Amino acid sequence: MTRALRETRLESEPSQTLDPKDWNEVRALGHRMLDDMIDHVAGIRERPVWQPIPDAIRSRFRDGLPKSPSELNDVYREFSDCIAPYATGNVHPGFMGWVHGGGSVVGMLAEMLAAGLNANLGGRDHVPIEVERQIVLWMRELFGFPGTASGIFVTGTSMANLMAVLVARTAALGASVRQRGVRDEEAALTAYTSKAAHGCIAKAMDIAGLGSDALRSVEVDQSHRIDVAALRARIAGDRAAGLTPFLVVASAGTVDIGAIDDLAAIGALCAEENLWFHVDGAFGALGMLSPVLAPLLSGIEQANSIALDFHKWGQVPYDAGFLLVRDGERHRAAFARPAAYLRRESRGLAAGSLWPCDFGPDLSRGFRALKTWFTLKTYGTEKLGAMIARTCALAGYLEARILAEPRLELLAPVNLNIVCFRYRSADANRVNGEIVIDIQESGISAPSTTMLDGQLAIRAAIVNHRTDTCDLDALIAAVLEFGARHASASEAPEIEAPPLAL
């Protein structure tokens, strides 16, 4: 200890803590904050979906580290003026650009409660961990996994997919790979997924030390599902070349159009070939909550592991990713590591083994489970399932609007809740790119773009439980209006576009 530290005065005064001097004052401001956020969500349709950040606002976040204290009321005013109006916009029903859930007031309140408890869910014996364990139990039930299955909350499916690759790698090479690393003779491991899979799968192979070149991107059929015959052929070809196939990653809701691979066929192939069968179900896996959609996921119960996000179709506020592993011992073997400071006891606060830190890389873990628990308990699976099915019905409505409009073209089959289309134009890629940016900046809606066979598509992902037909009508009207503006007079369709309803 330095001399300066030894000479630091210890004053037993409330002013030395970070608690407020006036609890009534902070309570009043806290109530106002809560009321303001409830008003923000309740009146969300009155605001633009998204708006560009003014230079003056952006420059405020280039200031240096604050050394002196500020009044909480002043800090909250800065939040209200400079942060809240310029958020991503996924609370708004017009947000359709990416697969982001809309959240709920129930989840928001639960997040506040979790922050008040300030629980670390890395381990030890306290009820917040029991809440997480209950959700693990619920997910076992939902996906037909055995009682020995393990589960853990993570930031999102990108992390869950990485962890699944690590579990599969350890299962293939043995637990000793964690000490010695992947040796040259073991670097021949190969994994398989479809060309339509999320890019985080390749990144997971990279981070796991296996290399993205070891990931085979298999062709897809007309419905954008992995070609199972081609998958079988790639596995056989790699075995013949002396390589070691070990993992297949199937998609339950592809990122571009929401396709679901033939999970039953892939599961059977993996069982035959003794391969780890992982399902990237970022949003689509929660289709199991809907009796209408669950049959599309037939075969998911065969998976060795499933990654999903409650913050997408589950409408839990960000972030709430989840990994479920069929064999809890294999899961633990990939991550558990003893340490003197993490000694387990049979009683006391250090009891309660096994701890969540035994199943993932994080020792410091927030109480993500609480907002998920509140959401599932408050709404129930029947209502959540009906909401999920409704987003798919809305996608069908949007599809019908597009097919009925000669100026628009559908670019991919509508499998679930994602619709890819474009405005017809001789210079379609440029025109549709401009259309999307104009719509975003207008605040009317927030679609995104993707590329399908070289064609730039307007992508509408209907995930928000607040979205309704009026929001889809507004999107169509905006596409037609801005499309007519960007298409040249010589290439513009002869049909006159209706005026944009603002």
PDB file of all heavy atoms in Angstrom, residues 112-148:
ATOM      1  N   MET A 112     -35.290  -2.919 -14.515  1.00  0.00           N
ATOM      2  CA  MET A 112     -35.081  -2.006 -13.395  1.00  0.00           C
ATOM      3  C   MET A 112     -34.921  -2.779 -12.087  1.00  0.00           C
ATOM      4  O   MET A 112     -34.032  -2.495 -11.272  1.00  0.00           O
ATOM      5  CB  MET A 112     -36.255  -1.032 -13.285  1.00  0.00           C
ATOM      6  CG  MET A 112     -36.177  -0.078 -12.101  1.00  0.00           C
ATOM      7  SD  MET A 112     -37.718   0.825 -11.842  1.00  0.00           S
ATOM      8  CE  MET A 112     -38.811  -0.495 -11.312  1.00  0.00           C
ATOM      9  N   LEU A 113     -35.763  -3.784 -11.885  1.00  0.00           N
ATOM     10  CA  LEU A 113     -35.678  -4.588 -10.667  1.00  0.00           C
ATOM     11  C   LEU A 113     -34.351  -5.341 -10.603  1.00  0.00           C
ATOM     12  O   LEU A 113     -33.725  -5.432  -9.536  1.00  0.00           O
ATOM     13  CB  LEU A 113     -36.835  -5.575 -10.612  1.00  0.00           C
ATOM     14  CG  LEU A 113     -38.248  -4.966 -10.551  1.00  0.00           C
ATOM     15  CD1 LEU A 113     -39.297  -6.072 -10.609  1.00  0.00           C
ATOM     16  CD2 LEU A 113     -38.430  -4.123  -9.298  1.00  0.00           C
ATOM     17  N   ALA A 114     -33.926  -5.874 -11.746  1.00  0.00           N
ATOM     18  CA  ALA A 114     -32.648  -6.595 -11.780  1.00  0.00           C
ATOM     19  C   ALA A 114     -31.492  -5.673 -11.436  1.00  0.00           C
ATOM     20  O   ALA A 114     -30.565  -6.056 -10.717  1.00  0.00           O
ATOM     21  CB  ALA A 114     -32.440  -7.221 -13.161  1.00  0.00           C
ATOM     22  N   ALA A 115     -31.550  -4.433 -11.934  1.00  0.00           N
ATOM     23  CA  ALA A 115     -30.484  -3.476 -11.628  1.00  0.00           C
ATOM     24  C   ALA A 115     -30.470  -3.144 -10.142  1.00  0.00           C
ATOM     25  O   ALA A 115     -29.404  -2.947  -9.544  1.00  0.00           O
ATOM     26  CB  ALA A 115     -30.669  -2.205 -12.461  1.00  0.00           C
ATOM     27  N   GLY A 116     -31.657  -3.096  -9.530  1.00  0.00           N
ATOM     28  CA  GLY A 116     -31.716  -2.817  -8.101  1.00  0.00           C
ATOM     29  C   GLY A 116     -31.087  -3.929  -7.271  1.00  0.00           C
ATOM     30  O   GLY A 116     -30.404  -3.670  -6.279  1.00  0.00           O
ATOM     31  N   LEU A 117     -31.285  -5.179  -7.690  1.00  0.00           N
ATOM     32  CA  LEU A 117     -30.666  -6.300  -6.978  1.00  0.00           C
ATOM     33  C   LEU A 117     -29.171  -6.380  -7.248  1.00  0.00           C
ATOM     34  O   LEU A 117     -28.400  -6.843  -6.403  1.00  0.00           O
ATOM     35  CB  LEU A 117     -31.327  -7.622  -7.402  1.00  0.00           C
ATOM     36  CG  LEU A 117     -32.771  -7.843  -6.952  1.00  0.00           C
ATOM     37  CD1 LEU A 117     -33.274  -9.193  -7.466  1.00  0.00           C
ATOM     38  CD2 LEU A 117     -32.898  -7.779  -5.441  1.00  0.00           C
ATOM     39  N   ASN A 118     -28.764  -5.955  -8.444  1.00  0.00           N
ATOM     40  CA  ASN A 118     -27.341  -5.946  -8.819  1.00  0.00           C
ATOM     41  C   ASN A 118     -26.684  -7.296  -8.572  1.00  0.00           C
ATOM     42  O   ASN A 118     -25.578  -7.396  -8.048  1.00  0.00           O
ATOM     43  CB  ASN A 118     -26.593  -4.844  -8.049  1.00  0.00           C
ATOM     44  CG  ASN A 118     -25.219  -4.561  -8.646  1.00  0.00           C
ATOM     45  OD1 ASN A 118     -25.008  -4.729  -9.845  1.00  0.00           O
ATOM     46  ND2 ASN A 118     -24.287  -4.143  -7.817  1.00  0.00           N
ATOM     47  N   ALA A 119     -27.379  -8.359  -8.968  1.00  0.00           N
ATOM     48  CA  ALA A 119     -26.880  -9.711  -8.726  1.00  0.00           C
ATOM     49  C   ALA A 119     -25.862 -10.116  -9.788  1.00  0.00           C
ATOM     50  O   ALA A 119     -26.035  -9.820 -10.967  1.00  0.00           O
ATOM     51  CB  ALA A 119     -28.039 -10.705  -8.731  1.00  0.00           C
ATOM     52  N   ASN A 120     -24.810 -10.789  -9.341  1.00  0.00           N
ATOM     53  CA  ASN A 120     -23.833 -11.389 -10.246  1.00  0.00           C
ATOM     54  C   ASN A 120     -24.180 -12.871 -10.373  1.00  0.00           C
ATOM     55  O   ASN A 120     -24.095 -13.627  -9.406  1.00  0.00           O
ATOM     56  CB  ASN A 120     -22.413 -11.208  -9.716  1.00  0.00           C
ATOM     57  CG  ASN A 120     -21.365 -11.851 -10.613  1.00  0.00           C
ATOM     58  OD1 ASN A 120     -21.671 -12.456 -11.626  1.00  0.00           O
ATOM     59  ND2 ASN A 120     -20.109 -11.707 -10.238  1.00  0.00           N
ATOM     60  N   LEU A 121     -24.551 -13.298 -11.579  1.00  0.00           N
ATOM     61  CA  LEU A 121     -24.988 -14.674 -11.773  1.00  0.00           C
ATOM     62  C   LEU A 121     -23.866 -15.579 -12.269  1.00  0.00           C
ATOM     63  O   LEU A 121     -24.103 -16.581 -12.930  1.00  0.00           O
ATOM     64  CB  LEU A 121     -26.184 -14.731 -12.733  1.00  0.00           C
ATOM     65  CG  LEU A 121     -27.546 -14.586 -12.021  1.00  0.00           C
ATOM     66  CD1 LEU A 121     -27.764 -13.175 -11.529  1.00  0.00           C
ATOM     67  CD2 LEU A 121     -28.686 -15.037 -12.904  1.00  0.00           C
ATOM     68  N   GLY A 122     -22.635 -15.237 -11.915  1.00  0.00           N
ATOM     69  CA  GLY A 122     -21.536 -16.138 -12.238  1.00  0.00           C
ATOM     70  C   GLY A 122     -21.591 -17.406 -11.400  1.00  0.00           C
ATOM     71  O   GLY A 122     -21.214 -18.487 -11.854  1.00  0.00           O
ATOM     72  N   GLY A 123     -22.062 -17.283 -10.161  1.00  0.00           N
ATOM     73  CA  GLY A 123     -22.140 -18.443  -9.294  1.00  0.00           C
ATOM     74  C   GLY A 123     -22.638 -18.098  -7.908  1.00  0.00           C
ATOM     75  O   GLY A 123     -23.197 -17.029  -7.681  1.00  0.00           O
ATOM     76  N   ARG A 124     -22.420 -19.027  -6.974  1.00  0.00           N
ATOM     77  CA  ARG A 124     -22.813 -18.925  -5.571  1.00  0.00           C
ATOM     78  C   ARG A 124     -24.295 -19.256  -5.397  1.00  0.00           C
ATOM     79  O   ARG A 124     -24.991 -19.534  -6.366  1.00  0.00           O
ATOM     80  CB  ARG A 124     -22.425 -17.566  -4.981  1.00  0.00           C
ATOM     81  CG  ARG A 124     -20.904 -17.355  -5.127  1.00  0.00           C
ATOM     82  CD  ARG A 124     -20.430 -15.975  -4.718  1.00  0.00           C
ATOM     83  NE  ARG A 124     -18.998 -15.884  -5.011  1.00  0.00           N
ATOM     84  CZ  ARG A 124     -18.494 -15.526  -6.199  1.00  0.00           C
ATOM     85  NH1 ARG A 124     -19.311 -15.209  -7.184  1.00  0.00           N
ATOM     86  NH2 ARG A 124     -17.199 -15.499  -6.394  1.00  0.00           N
ATOM     87  N   ASP A 125     -24.751 -19.250  -4.164  1.00  0.00           N
ATOM     88  CA  ASP A 125     -26.069 -19.793  -3.852  1.00  0.00           C
ATOM     89  C   ASP A 125     -27.047 -18.664  -3.551  1.00  0.00           C
ATOM     90  O   ASP A 125     -27.130 -18.187  -2.419  1.00  0.00           O
ATOM     91  CB  ASP A 125     -25.955 -20.751  -2.647  1.00  0.00           C
ATOM     92  CG  ASP A 125     -27.215 -21.583  -2.467  1.00  0.00           C
ATOM     93  OD1 ASP A 125     -27.991 -21.691  -3.435  1.00  0.00           O
ATOM     94  OD2 ASP A 125     -27.421 -22.115  -1.362  1.00  0.00           O
ATOM     95  N   HIS A 126     -27.782 -18.239  -4.567  1.00  0.00           N
ATOM     96  CA  HIS A 126     -28.797 -17.191  -4.392  1.00  0.00           C
ATOM     97  C   HIS A 126     -29.907 -17.414  -5.413  1.00  0.00           C
ATOM     98  O   HIS A 126     -29.698 -18.052  -6.455  1.00  0.00           O
ATOM     99  CB  HIS A 126     -28.183 -15.786  -4.506  1.00  0.00           C
ATOM    100  CG  HIS A 126     -27.341 -15.566  -5.732  1.00  0.00           C
ATOM    101  ND1 HIS A 126     -27.623 -14.599  -6.666  1.00  0.00           N
ATOM    102  CD2 HIS A 126     -26.210 -16.185  -6.159  1.00  0.00           C
ATOM    103  CE1 HIS A 126     -26.711 -14.629  -7.619  1.00  0.00           C
ATOM    104  NE2 HIS A 126     -25.842 -15.572  -7.346  1.00  0.00           N
ATOM    105  N   VAL A 127     -31.078 -16.898  -5.116  1.00  0.00           N
ATOM    106  CA  VAL A 127     -32.266 -17.202  -5.915  1.00  0.00           C
ATOM    107  C   VAL A 127     -32.173 -16.710  -7.361  1.00  0.00           C
ATOM    108  O   VAL A 127     -32.722 -17.373  -8.257  1.00  0.00           O
ATOM    109  CB  VAL A 127     -33.535 -16.673  -5.209  1.00  0.00           C
ATOM    110  CG1 VAL A 127     -34.729 -16.669  -6.158  1.00  0.00           C
ATOM    111  CG2 VAL A 127     -33.841 -17.550  -3.999  1.00  0.00           C
ATOM    112  N   PRO A 128     -31.528 -15.569  -7.669  1.00  0.00           N
ATOM    113  CA  PRO A 128     -31.423 -15.209  -9.078  1.00  0.00           C
ATOM    114  C   PRO A 128     -30.895 -16.340  -9.971  1.00  0.00           C
ATOM    115  O   PRO A 128     -31.366 -16.507 -11.103  1.00  0.00           O
ATOM    116  CB  PRO A 128     -30.467 -14.010  -9.053  1.00  0.00           C
ATOM    117  CG  PRO A 128     -30.816 -13.326  -7.778  1.00  0.00           C
ATOM    118  CD  PRO A 128     -31.042 -14.457  -6.806  1.00  0.00           C
ATOM    119  N   ILE A 129     -29.964 -17.152  -9.454  1.00  0.00           N
ATOM    120  CA  ILE A 129     -29.488 -18.285 -10.250  1.00  0.00           C
ATOM    121  C   ILE A 129     -30.580 -19.336 -10.387  1.00  0.00           C
ATOM    122  O   ILE A 129     -30.696 -19.997 -11.435  1.00  0.00           O
ATOM    123  CB  ILE A 129     -28.200 -18.872  -9.633  1.00  0.00           C
ATOM    124  CG1 ILE A 129     -27.033 -17.906  -9.898  1.00  0.00           C
ATOM    125  CG2 ILE A 129     -27.882 -20.251 -10.209  1.00  0.00           C
ATOM    126  CD1 ILE A 129     -25.706 -18.368  -9.350  1.00  0.00           C
ATOM    127  N   GLU A 130     -31.423 -19.487  -9.373  1.00  0.00           N
ATOM    128  CA  GLU A 130     -32.538 -20.429  -9.479  1.00  0.00           C
ATOM    129  C   GLU A 130     -33.525 -19.983 -10.552  1.00  0.00           C
ATOM    130  O   GLU A 130     -34.160 -20.806 -11.220  1.00  0.00           O
ATOM    131  CB  GLU A 130     -33.245 -20.577  -8.132  1.00  0.00           C
ATOM    132  CG  GLU A 130     -32.381 -21.205  -7.037  1.00  0.00           C
ATOM    133  CD  GLU A 130     -31.916 -22.607  -7.386  1.00  0.00           C
ATOM    134  OE1 GLU A 130     -32.613 -23.307  -8.147  1.00  0.00           O
ATOM    135  OE2 GLU A 130     -30.835 -23.009  -6.903  1.00  0.00           O
ATOM    136  N   VAL A 131     -33.663 -18.660 -10.724  1.00  0.00           N
ATOM    137  CA  VAL A 131     -34.527 -18.142 -11.794  1.00  0.00           C
ATOM    138  C   VAL A 131     -33.978 -18.573 -13.151  1.00  0.00           C
ATOM    139  O   VAL A 131     -34.718 -19.044 -14.028  1.00  0.00           O
ATOM    140  CB  VAL A 131     -34.642 -16.605 -11.712  1.00  0.00           C
ATOM    141  CG1 VAL A 131     -35.393 -16.056 -12.916  1.00  0.00           C
ATOM    142  CG2 VAL A 131     -35.337 -16.188 -10.418  1.00  0.00           C
ATOM    143  N   GLU A 132     -32.660 -18.424 -13.329  1.00  0.00           N
ATOM    144  CA  GLU A 132     -32.051 -18.841 -14.592  1.00  0.00           C
ATOM    145  C   GLU A 132     -32.208 -20.348 -14.791  1.00  0.00           C
ATOM    146  O   GLU A 132     -32.505 -20.812 -15.896  1.00  0.00           O
ATOM    147  CB  GLU A 132     -30.578 -18.439 -14.637  1.00  0.00           C
ATOM    148  CG  GLU A 132     -29.907 -18.780 -15.957  1.00  0.00           C
ATOM    149  CD  GLU A 132     -28.636 -18.000 -16.215  1.00  0.00           C
ATOM    150  OE1 GLU A 132     -28.417 -16.933 -15.570  1.00  0.00           O
ATOM    151  OE2 GLU A 132     -27.849 -18.435 -17.074  1.00  0.00           O
ATOM    152  N   ARG A 133     -32.039 -21.102 -13.720  1.00  0.00           N
ATOM    153  CA  ARG A 133     -32.192 -22.559 -13.827  1.00  0.00           C
ATOM    154  C   ARG A 133     -33.630 -22.946 -14.179  1.00  0.00           C
ATOM    155  O   ARG A 133     -33.863 -23.940 -14.877  1.00  0.00           O
ATOM    156  CB  ARG A 133     -31.766 -23.218 -12.521  1.00  0.00           C
ATOM    157  CG  ARG A 133     -30.251 -23.205 -12.314  1.00  0.00           C
ATOM    158  CD  ARG A 133     -29.846 -23.684 -10.939  1.00  0.00           C
ATOM    159  NE  ARG A 133     -28.397 -23.701 -10.778  1.00  0.00           N
ATOM    160  CZ  ARG A 133     -27.761 -23.583  -9.622  1.00  0.00           C
ATOM    161  NH1 ARG A 133     -28.466 -23.443  -8.494  1.00  0.00           N
ATOM    162  NH2 ARG A 133     -26.440 -23.606  -9.570  1.00  0.00           N
ATOM    163  N   GLN A 134     -34.590 -22.152 -13.709  1.00  0.00           N
ATOM    164  CA  GLN A 134     -35.970 -22.459 -14.071  1.00  0.00           C
ATOM    165  C   GLN A 134     -36.191 -22.265 -15.564  1.00  0.00           C
ATOM    166  O   GLN A 134     -36.894 -23.057 -16.211  1.00  0.00           O
ATOM    167  CB  GLN A 134     -36.956 -21.585 -13.282  1.00  0.00           C
ATOM    168  CG  GLN A 134     -38.406 -21.943 -13.600  1.00  0.00           C
ATOM    169  CD  GLN A 134     -39.405 -21.284 -12.681  1.00  0.00           C
ATOM    170  OE1 GLN A 134     -39.286 -20.108 -12.396  1.00  0.00           O
ATOM    171  NE2 GLN A 134     -40.392 -22.043 -12.235  1.00  0.00           N
ATOM    172  N   ILE A 135     -35.574 -21.239 -16.137  1.00  0.00           N
ATOM    173  CA  ILE A 135     -35.725 -21.026 -17.579  1.00  0.00           C
ATOM    174  C   ILE A 135     -35.027 -22.135 -18.363  1.00  0.00           C
ATOM    175  O   ILE A 135     -35.509 -22.557 -19.421  1.00  0.00           O
ATOM    176  CB  ILE A 135     -35.224 -19.625 -17.965  1.00  0.00           C
ATOM    177  CG1 ILE A 135     -36.165 -18.583 -17.338  1.00  0.00           C
ATOM    178  CG2 ILE A 135     -35.164 -19.454 -19.479  1.00  0.00           C
ATOM    179  CD1 ILE A 135     -35.742 -17.168 -17.499  1.00  0.00           C
ATOM    180  N   VAL A 136     -33.911 -22.622 -17.845  1.00  0.00           N
ATOM    181  CA  VAL A 136     -33.279 -23.791 -18.462  1.00  0.00           C
ATOM    182  C   VAL A 136     -34.272 -24.958 -18.473  1.00  0.00           C
ATOM    183  O   VAL A 136     -34.436 -25.647 -19.494  1.00  0.00           O
ATOM    184  CB  VAL A 136     -31.987 -24.186 -17.721  1.00  0.00           C
ATOM    185  CG1 VAL A 136     -31.436 -25.504 -18.269  1.00  0.00           C
ATOM    186  CG2 VAL A 136     -30.931 -23.087 -17.839  1.00  0.00           C
ATOM    187  N   LEU A 137     -34.941 -25.174 -17.361  1.00  0.00           N
ATOM    188  CA  LEU A 137     -35.943 -26.244 -17.259  1.00  0.00           C
ATOM    189  C   LEU A 137     -37.054 -26.035 -18.286  1.00  0.00           C
ATOM    190  O   LEU A 137     -37.478 -26.973 -18.971  1.00  0.00           O
ATOM    191  CB  LEU A 137     -36.504 -26.271 -15.841  1.00  0.00           C
ATOM    192  CG  LEU A 137     -37.489 -27.366 -15.448  1.00  0.00           C
ATOM    193  CD1 LEU A 137     -37.414 -27.628 -13.947  1.00  0.00           C
ATOM    194  CD2 LEU A 137     -38.926 -26.979 -15.811  1.00  0.00           C
ATOM    195  N   TRP A 138     -37.528 -24.786 -18.408  1.00  0.00           N
ATOM    196  CA  TRP A 138     -38.589 -24.481 -19.372  1.00  0.00           C
ATOM    197  C   TRP A 138     -38.137 -24.734 -20.803  1.00  0.00           C
ATOM    198  O   TRP A 138     -38.903 -25.222 -21.630  1.00  0.00           O
ATOM    199  CB  TRP A 138     -39.042 -23.032 -19.209  1.00  0.00           C
ATOM    200  CG  TRP A 138     -39.788 -22.757 -17.941  1.00  0.00           C
ATOM    201  CD1 TRP A 138     -40.343 -23.679 -17.096  1.00  0.00           C
ATOM    202  CD2 TRP A 138     -40.070 -21.476 -17.380  1.00  0.00           C
ATOM    203  NE1 TRP A 138     -40.956 -23.034 -16.041  1.00  0.00           N
ATOM    204  CE2 TRP A 138     -40.812 -21.686 -16.181  1.00  0.00           C
ATOM    205  CE3 TRP A 138     -39.775 -20.177 -17.753  1.00  0.00           C
ATOM    206  CZ2 TRP A 138     -41.242 -20.635 -15.376  1.00  0.00           C
ATOM    207  CZ3 TRP A 138     -40.210 -19.115 -16.967  1.00  0.00           C
ATOM    208  CH2 TRP A 138     -40.933 -19.354 -15.783  1.00  0.00           C
ATOM    209  N   MET A 139     -36.884 -24.404 -21.114  1.00  0.00           N
ATOM    210  CA  MET A 139     -36.388 -24.607 -22.479  1.00  0.00           C
ATOM    211  C   MET A 139     -36.200 -26.096 -22.771  1.00  0.00           C
ATOM    212  O   MET A 139     -36.399 -26.539 -23.903  1.00  0.00           O
ATOM    213  CB  MET A 139     -35.089 -23.835 -22.687  1.00  0.00           C
ATOM    214  CG  MET A 139     -35.265 -22.316 -22.690  1.00  0.00           C
ATOM    215  SD  MET A 139     -36.470 -21.737 -23.924  1.00  0.00           S
ATOM    216  CE  MET A 139     -37.925 -21.425 -22.889  1.00  0.00           C
ATOM    217  N   ARG A 140     -35.807 -26.877 -21.773  1.00  0.00           N
ATOM    218  CA  ARG A 140     -35.765 -28.327 -21.963  1.00  0.00           C
ATOM    219  C   ARG A 140     -37.159 -28.828 -22.372  1.00  0.00           C
ATOM    220  O   ARG A 140     -37.312 -29.642 -23.288  1.00  0.00           O
ATOM    221  CB  ARG A 140     -35.360 -29.028 -20.669  1.00  0.00           C
ATOM    222  CG  ARG A 140     -33.913 -28.884 -20.245  1.00  0.00           C
ATOM    223  CD  ARG A 140     -33.756 -29.548 -18.881  1.00  0.00           C
ATOM    224  NE  ARG A 140     -32.450 -29.309 -18.279  1.00  0.00           N
ATOM    225  CZ  ARG A 140     -32.228 -29.292 -16.974  1.00  0.00           C
ATOM    226  NH1 ARG A 140     -33.241 -29.499 -16.122  1.00  0.00           N
ATOM    227  NH2 ARG A 140     -31.021 -29.082 -16.502  1.00  0.00           N
ATOM    228  N   GLU A 141     -38.173 -28.346 -21.670  1.00  0.00           N
ATOM    229  CA  GLU A 141     -39.540 -28.767 -21.949  1.00  0.00           C
ATOM    230  C   GLU A 141     -39.973 -28.324 -23.336  1.00  0.00           C
ATOM    231  O   GLU A 141     -40.586 -29.091 -24.094  1.00  0.00           O
ATOM    232  CB  GLU A 141     -40.475 -28.182 -20.884  1.00  0.00           C
ATOM    233  CG  GLU A 141     -41.938 -28.537 -21.078  1.00  0.00           C
ATOM    234  CD  GLU A 141     -42.839 -27.904 -20.027  1.00  0.00           C
ATOM    235  OE1 GLU A 141     -42.319 -27.444 -18.981  1.00  0.00           O
ATOM    236  OE2 GLU A 141     -44.062 -27.862 -20.247  1.00  0.00           O
ATOM    237  N   LEU A 142     -39.655 -27.084 -23.692  1.00  0.00           N
ATOM    238  CA  LEU A 142     -40.087 -26.539 -24.981  1.00  0.00           C
ATOM    239  C   LEU A 142     -39.488 -27.310 -26.146  1.00  0.00           C
ATOM    240  O   LEU A 142     -40.170 -27.582 -27.146  1.00  0.00           O
ATOM    241  CB  LEU A 142     -39.699 -25.053 -25.069  1.00  0.00           C
ATOM    242  CG  LEU A 142     -40.103 -24.322 -26.364  1.00  0.00           C
ATOM    243  CD1 LEU A 142     -41.622 -24.249 -26.490  1.00  0.00           C
ATOM    244  CD2 LEU A 142     -39.500 -22.920 -26.386  1.00  0.00           C
ATOM    245  N   PHE A 143     -38.205 -27.672 -26.038  1.00  0.00           N
ATOM    246  CA  PHE A 143     -37.510 -28.292 -27.166  1.00  0.00           C
ATOM    247  C   PHE A 143     -37.377 -29.817 -27.042  1.00  0.00           C
ATOM    248  O   PHE A 143     -36.726 -30.438 -27.874  1.00  0.00           O
ATOM    249  CB  PHE A 143     -36.128 -27.662 -27.328  1.00  0.00           C
ATOM    250  CG  PHE A 143     -36.184 -26.228 -27.766  1.00  0.00           C
ATOM    251  CD1 PHE A 143     -35.919 -25.199 -26.860  1.00  0.00           C
ATOM    252  CD2 PHE A 143     -36.535 -25.891 -29.067  1.00  0.00           C
ATOM    253  CE1 PHE A 143     -35.985 -23.868 -27.262  1.00  0.00           C
ATOM    254  CE2 PHE A 143     -36.610 -24.578 -29.472  1.00  0.00           C
ATOM    255  CZ  PHE A 143     -36.328 -23.550 -28.567  1.00  0.00           C
ATOM    256  N   GLY A 144     -37.986 -30.400 -26.003  1.00  0.00           N
ATOM    257  CA  GLY A 144     -37.948 -31.847 -25.862  1.00  0.00           C
ATOM    258  C   GLY A 144     -36.582 -32.383 -25.505  1.00  0.00           C
ATOM    259  O   GLY A 144     -36.221 -33.496 -25.907  1.00  0.00           O
ATOM    260  N   PHE A 145     -35.804 -31.615 -24.732  1.00  0.00           N
ATOM    261  CA  PHE A 145     -34.478 -32.046 -24.305  1.00  0.00           C
ATOM    262  C   PHE A 145     -34.575 -32.791 -22.974  1.00  0.00           C
ATOM    263  O   PHE A 145     -35.497 -32.575 -22.190  1.00  0.00           O
ATOM    264  CB  PHE A 145     -33.549 -30.834 -24.170  1.00  0.00           C
ATOM    265  CG  PHE A 145     -32.822 -30.468 -25.446  1.00  0.00           C
ATOM    266  CD1 PHE A 145     -33.445 -30.570 -26.675  1.00  0.00           C
ATOM    267  CD2 PHE A 145     -31.518 -30.014 -25.410  1.00  0.00           C
ATOM    268  CE1 PHE A 145     -32.786 -30.229 -27.845  1.00  0.00           C
ATOM    269  CE2 PHE A 145     -30.839 -29.678 -26.570  1.00  0.00           C
ATOM    270  CZ  PHE A 145     -31.468 -29.789 -27.802  1.00  0.00           C
ATOM    271  N   PRO A 146     -33.608 -33.652 -22.689  1.00  0.00           N
ATOM    272  CA  PRO A 146     -33.647 -34.430 -21.438  1.00  0.00           C
ATOM    273  C   PRO A 146     -33.321 -33.584 -20.217  1.00  0.00           C
ATOM    274  O   PRO A 146     -32.818 -32.458 -20.324  1.00  0.00           O
ATOM    275  CB  PRO A 146     -32.562 -35.490 -21.671  1.00  0.00           C
ATOM    276  CG  PRO A 146     -31.591 -34.847 -22.607  1.00  0.00           C
ATOM    277  CD  PRO A 146     -32.434 -34.003 -23.528  1.00  0.00           C
ATOM    278  N   GLY A 147     -33.572 -34.141 -19.050  1.00  0.00           N
ATOM    279  CA  GLY A 147     -33.309 -33.443 -17.796  1.00  0.00           C
ATOM    280  C   GLY A 147     -31.841 -33.180 -17.547  1.00  0.00           C
ATOM    281  O   GLY A 147     -31.491 -32.362 -16.696  1.00  0.00           O
ATOM    282  N   THR A 148     -30.966 -33.861 -18.260  1.00  0.00           N
ATOM    283  CA  THR A 148     -29.522 -33.641 -18.116  1.00  0.00           C
ATOM    284  C   THR A 148     -29.008 -32.508 -18.997  1.00  0.00           C
ATOM    285  O   THR A 148     -27.820 -32.176 -18.952  1.00  0.00           O
ATOM    286  CB  THR A 148     -28.769 -34.928 -18.478  1.00  0.00           C
ATOM    287  OG1 THR A 148     -29.201 -35.384 -19.773  1.00  0.00           O
ATOM    288  CG2 THR A 148     -29.018 -36.016 -17.449  1.00  0.00           C
TER     289      THR A 148
END
